[in-house]
Amino acid sequence: MGKRGVVADYAGDELYRGDLVAYAARQGNRVRMADAIVDRVTTRLVDGRLRAMLCIRPTGTESGFAKRRSLRKEWISAEHVRLIMPDVTGERDQ
């Protein structure tokens, strides 16, 4: 029987629900760095490869001078995500 793997950022730090992460977000033709809280961690089969995916809630803290229009949840790949602070919401204890 196989062992369940752990989803990690590009530095190898494990990602869980409630973690604060930084990721690259597109705005038009530019890319900005944004902070978000991980809402869900899962994997999906994309083009025959298993990819780690995160459902995130942006916090509103980001680079750039144009404000984000909404703070809706987004699905992103965990390839270019970096853990900033683990368990900022306290959801891991529950």
Side-chain angles (χ1 to χ4, degrees):
M1 196 168 206
K3 182 179 176 185
R4 181 184 177 274
V6 177
V7 174
D9 66 358
Y10 64 81
D13 296 327
E14 298 176 0
L15 297 173
Y16 296 100
R17 182 181 182 158
D19 290 347
L20 181 66
V21 296
Y23 71 103
R26 293 195 64 85
Q27 181 182 20
N29 201 23
R30 295 181 175 217
V31 176
R32 62 179 171 211
M33 292 305 296
D35 292 351
I37 296 176
V38 176
D39 192 47
R40 238 168 57 181
V41 180
T42 187
T43 57
R44 289 193 179 156
L45 194 63
V46 178
D47 297 329
R49 292 181 184 246
L50 202 57
R51 281 229 168 124
M53 301 293 288
L54 303 172
C55 182
I56 50 126
R57 292 185 322 248
T59 61
T61 305
E62 55 198 34
S63 65
F65 55 87
K67 294 277 276 181
R68 180 185 287 267
R69 288 187 205 149
S70 71
L71 297 176
R72 65 175 163 65
K73 293 181 182 178
E74 300 176 4
W75 280 99
I76 61 169
S77 174
E79 288 182 307
H80 304 290
V81 172
R82 180 71 169 133
L83 178 67
I84 296 175
M85 190 180 313
D87 198 25
V88 294
T89 60
E91 294 179 1
R92 204 177 300 171
D93 297 334
Q94 297 174 359

